[in-house]
Structure formats: C-alpha cells, structure tokens
Amino acid sequence: MPEAVLRIGEKEVSLPLMTGSVGETAVDISSLRDETGAVTLDDGFANTAETASDLTFVDGEAGVLIHRGYTIEDLASEASFLEVAHLLLFGALPTKGELESFVGSIQEHLHVDSAIRNVFSAVPQDAHPMQVLGSAVAALGGHYADDLDPNDPESVERNSYRLIAKLPILIAWAHRAREGQEIVDPIPGADYVANFLEMMFGDGGHIDEQEQIAAKALDSLLLLHADHGQNCSTSAVRLVGSSGANLYGAITGGIFALSGPLHGGANQEVLEMLASISEDGGDVDKYINRAKDKDDPFRLMGFGHRVYKNFDPRANVIRTTAEEVLNRLGVDDPLLDVAVQLQKRALEDDYFVERKLFPNVDFFSGIIYRALGFPVDMFTTLFALGRLPGWLSQFKEMKTDSSNRIFRPRQIYTGEPKRAWLPMEER
Ligand code: SDX
C-alpha cells in the first residue's frame, strides 16, 4: 500500500495514500490525530478533499470538467439539461425510454400548494430573489412532513423529483409576485425549460418560436451549471445533510451558500460591473488597474477560481452561446463588447497571468440571462436551478456512502489559556 511518511518532532508516522480513478493522490489522514495528537490546518480547505466522489472531475490546471466521464463540451453540444440530471443522479446517460420515464416522474410533481405563495407576500418587494427562493424551498419541505426520511433512498428520490419539478415554479412565482402579475401554471407535457420561460414571462397559452430559441439557450446554460465537485454550496449541502437533516434543509443551505458574491452571486455582480464600466465610458483599463490595486476593494467579478488555473471550460462554451443567442434573438448588447474587451485586456496583463486568473462560469452567463429578459437580481436563482441536479446527486451519494459521518472539522484554539474567574469588582 503506497504511503506518505510524516515526521513531527521525533515521531514518524506512515499515512496511507489513496489514488483516484484519473490518477489524483490523497493522503488519508484519518489516523493522524490518534497517532500524533496533531491535526491539519488548511485555510479554505484549498488542499483538503472532503470526500471521494464518482460524479464530477475538475482538472483546474488543464481546464477540464467531466461528469461521470463525459466532457462538459460533449454534454453541452449533445445533451439536454435533464439528460445530464439523469446522468448525475443515476450514473448513466438515459436511453430514450429512461429519459421519458425520468421526465414523466418530474412532471408528476408540477403542482405546488398555493399556501406556499404566502412566502412571497411575507417579504417586502425589495427582498433578494435568493432570500425568497431559500425561504420558499424551506417552506416546501414542510409540506412533506410524512415523507422526509433522508435515510430512505426512495423518499430521497421522490423528493428529488419534487424539487426538480417545483424549483422553476417557485422562481417564476417569486418573479410574478414581485411584478404584481398573476401566476401562470405550467403547461402539462411541455418542455421543462420552455415551461419555465412561459411561467416567467408568458400568458400560459402556448410556447412560441422566440421562447423555443430562448429555451434551447437556457437549457444549455443550466446544464453547464449542473455540478462542479465540492464547491462551497455543494459542500454546504453535504454538511447540512451529514447531520441527518432532510433534503429540503440541505438544499436550502446550498441556496444560501450559493447566494454569496464570491460564489453564485458573482453572475449578478458581473453584470452590474459591466454596466458600471459601460456607464463610465467603457474604460476597461481603468477597471483592470482598480482590480490590481490592493488598496481598492474592487475585484474583476467573474474572474479567478479556486480550482481553475486555466480557462474555465464552461466560460468558453457560454461565450460562444452568448454570441449565438444575441444574434438569433436580434439583441445587440454593448455589455458583451465590454466583457470581450475586459477579458482580452486581463489576459494580456501580468497581474492576472501570474495569478492564473481566467474568466469563470459567471463571466458571460449574465449576458445571456439578460438577453432572455431575466432581471439581474434573479441571475443567481438560475444558477441554483442549474446546480440543483448536482446538489441532489451529491446528497444522494453522501447518504449512500457507507462511511457517511457527520461533518465536524477540528480547529486550532488561539484564544486565552485557562484563567481564574474575575469578579465584577476587579474588572
Ligand atoms: C463560482 O468552487 C467552484 O467550483 C465555484 C463555481 C461552481 O461551479 O460551483 O465554479 C462557481 O463560484 C465561480 C467563482 C465566482 N466568483 C467570482 O467570480 C468572484 C471573483 N473571484 C474571486 O473573488 C476569487 O477568484 C475566487 C473567490 C473565485 C477564488 O478565490 P481564492 O481561490 O480564495 O483566491 P484568492 O482570493 O486567494 O486570490 C488569489 C490572488 C489574490 O491576490 P494576491 O493576494 O495573491 O496578490 O488573486 C487575486 C487575489 O487578490 N484575485 C483577484 C481576483 N480573484 C483573485 N484579483 C482581482 N480580481 C479577481 N477576481
């Protein structure tokens, strides 16, 4: 068995090495504290694998992303969002019959109890859509109190179908409630993404040609966001689920982790950044210099990644899709030009090159969402919709993993050593 040898003072311990299916190596430190009394310290878990997983492999140096062996480029050009959802959840691309059955299982759950709509009237108009979506998903879980056992694989599968079916409805309801519009019911049997667009922007009658073009683009975007290893929000889903909490609680945790501007919230930040650069005369050099200035809190949103030290392959696909969609919809968005210029300048600048800062999945996605008519502050709800199959698959994998233990990291205490009580009169 290959091993690593660690010496701490006079003590030397051997730690087993684990090799993944594509050659990655991990040092198994499960026995470290028992054998040495020491723990590891790893800021942001940048060097720590929290689990082994069969779902997704990201090679940050090479800019490679695969789901169960299939490259994101092949999936983006050949598969649909629900095909990728099936791949992640069940380990294989579905046959035609399996896909029909999978879609059918989702469509069985297109009803959402109207009581959930009280969530949208319980918050002020300016509540952020991610805040509202997380509240709605948490409330949704309350409607299945008799079917929430996270250790029952059939219940987890049923609730996975429920969430895939209802999340787009909740997003659309939140939007229409804020706009003061009547809700539109999903059209039974209609395409998943086209139905979502109809519920968002339509009148519930039929799905027109423009909506079909938009649906194809959005389907591809959702697919590109489906899973990405142990990112912040997925780790949140696993951590919450590891205590035995139910699936709705875990997904709610994922939604709020994703809402942060350093994670899924970046797609909204990018659009706002591009708009302010455009309003400021389009001087990209000024903003490149601001991003490099350590005294300036400004960051180039949509750039940089904890894992990718090369192009994020999703960003490449999304940029191509953005150009295609804007052409097909006849939309001329000056912010795309600003984004292209910004990318070009950054990739020529030593600061970004030395730190291997490349565009990530969030850099171009907002251009498409905006062209499809989504309000900027709803962009991250679309990231959540795309990431849902990944969260569900990671939760399922965690629950079926025999070594599934509650997440409980250690720490190094740096506070006051034990000291005597200090009476009030002596303080
Ligand atoms: C997503 O993990 C995933 O897989 C996430 C995701 C997924 O699919 O789930 O891919 C989705 O979250 C993409 C990332 C979206 N976030 C952003 O675009 C926000 C802007 N980017 C960053 O804030 C940053 O790059 C992170 C948060 C993405 C990564 O942060 P790290 O790995 O902790 O890197 P760091 O902050 O330590 O930065 C290293 C250096 C620093 O400079 P030095 O101290 O070495 O001089 O790079 C600099 C940083 O200042 N830097 C940036 C920068 N990102 C990093 N400088 C300017 N602009 C930036 N965007």
Side-chain angles (χ1 to χ4, degrees):
M1 158 74 92
E3 61 186 21
V5 175
L6 179 68
R7 186 180 308 112
I8 299 178
E10 296 304 309
K11 189 157 182 62
E12 203 167 87
V13 290
S14 295
L15 298 167
L17 293 181
M18 175 190 175
T19 303
S21 57
V22 292
E24 297 170 295
T25 300
V27 179
D28 181 342
I29 59 168
S30 310
S31 64
L32 179 67
R33 190 167 184 276
D34 287 346
E35 293 199 45
T36 69
V39 296
T40 56
L41 184 62
D42 185 17
D43 176 36
F45 297 134
N47 303 283
T48 297
E50 74 183 54
T51 186
S53 175
D54 298 343
L55 293 168
T56 290
F57 172 61
V58 180
D59 181 339
E61 284 66 34
V64 167
L65 168 58
I66 61 175
H67 293 314
R68 302 247 197 214
Y70 296 98
T71 66
I72 195 65
E73 291 84 0
D74 282 350
L75 292 170
S77 66
E78 306 298 334
S80 69
F81 173 55
L82 291 185
E83 269 182 288
V84 172
H86 184 284
L87 172 66
L88 288 167
L89 280 163
F90 300 107
L93 287 170
T95 62
K96 191 169 181 301
E98 287 166 338
L99 184 57
E100 284 166 4
S101 165
F102 182 66
V103 172
S105 300
I106 292 165
Q107 294 193 334
E108 283 172 20
H109 297 286
L110 288 178
H111 171 72
V112 177
D113 190 312
S114 58
I116 293 284
R117 291 167 61 184
N118 294 321
V119 169
F120 309 121
S121 54
V123 292
Q125 282 284 10
D126 61 353
H128 193 282
M130 284 294 275
Q131 200 75 34
V132 176
L133 184 63
S135 309
V137 170
L140 186 66
H143 286 249
Y144 303 103
D146 60 349
D147 185 20
L148 288 178
D149 181 357
N151 300 309
D152 172 359
E154 288 179 7
S155 173
V156 170
E157 185 168 318
R158 235 181 342 265
N159 285 303
S160 296
Y161 288 133
R162 284 181 177 129
L163 279 160
I164 295 173
K166 299 174 194 284
L167 201 67
I169 298 171
L170 296 176
I171 295 170
W173 279 11
H175 171 64
R176 295 187 79 111
R178 184 168 67 168
E179 299 295 314
Q181 296 170 340
E182 280 304 306
I183 63 167
V184 165
D185 290 327
I187 301 170
D191 168 77
Y192 181 79
V193 178
N195 233 340
F196 171 49
L197 290 170
E198 183 62 18
M199 289 189 283
M200 280 290 302
F201 307 117
D203 56 10
H206 70 290
I207 290 159
D208 61 31
E209 204 235 335
Q210 283 285 78
E211 276 177 323
Q212 283 163 10
I213 295 171
K216 177 86 180 70
L218 185 55
D219 189 285
S220 175
L221 269 178
L222 294 176
L223 171 164
L224 288 162
H225 286 80
D227 191 52
H228 209 244
Q230 304 312 311
N231 56 84
C232 178
S233 54
T234 297
S235 298
V237 168
R238 280 181 173 258
L239 184 138
V240 171
S242 75
S243 74
N246 66 59
L247 183 59
Y248 295 85
I251 298 301
T252 302
I255 289 171
F256 283 111
L258 187 70
S259 69
L262 295 184
H263 190 14
N267 58 16
Q268 173 181 342
E269 300 274 334
V270 169
L271 235 291
E272 289 166 355
M273 172 188 75
L274 295 174
S276 56
I277 294 172
S278 179
E279 285 148 25
D280 189 18
D283 181 356
V284 293
D285 287 324
K286 174 180 170 186
Y287 287 85
I288 291 283
N289 292 329
R290 283 193 59 191
K292 293 158 62 176
D293 179 355
K294 291 301 173 196
D295 297 326
D296 188 332
F298 176 79
R299 279 202 159 189
L300 207 51
M301 301 311 276
F303 256 75
H305 199 277
R306 173 61 59 76
V307 175
Y308 287 121
K309 301 310 172 191
N310 195 323
F311 265 94
D312 180 335
R314 302 167 297 176
N316 293 333
V317 177
I318 292 173
R319 176 182 170 177
T320 308
T321 306
E323 288 159 351
E324 287 167 2
V325 167
L326 267 59
N327 285 338
R328 291 198 66 186
L329 293 176
V331 171
D332 177 20
D333 187 347
L335 299 190
L336 178 58
D337 300 335
V338 175
V340 170
Q341 280 177 52
L342 207 51
Q343 171 181 312
K344 182 175 180 303
R345 278 285 297 106
L347 296 182
E348 293 163 353
D349 188 290
D350 288 347
Y351 172 94
F352 293 88
V353 173
E354 284 160 14
R355 291 166 178 80
K356 298 181 179 177
L357 302 176
F358 290 87
N360 60 49
V361 69
D362 292 313
F363 191 61
F364 289 105
S365 56
I367 300 279
I368 300 175
Y369 296 145
R370 193 165 96 126
L372 301 184
F374 287 95
V376 176
D377 66 0
M378 291 200 71
F379 289 0
T380 312
T381 64
L382 302 177
F383 193 145
L385 183 57
R387 184 52 51 89
L388 180 63
W391 288 337
L392 296 171
S393 307
Q394 298 270 353
F395 182 95
K396 176 182 176 182
E397 184 176 68
M398 177 195 63
K399 297 307 288 186
T400 47
D401 175 350
S402 56
S403 67
N404 165 35
R405 304 173 71 194
I406 187 168
F407 279 34
R408 205 281 183 215
R410 292 278 183 167
Q411 63 164 27
I412 292 292
Y413 177 65
T414 53
E416 289 285 343
K418 195 161 74 169
R419 51 182 169 168
W421 172 249
L422 188 62
M424 179 64 81
E425 58 276 10
E426 293 175 23
R427 290 175 202 166

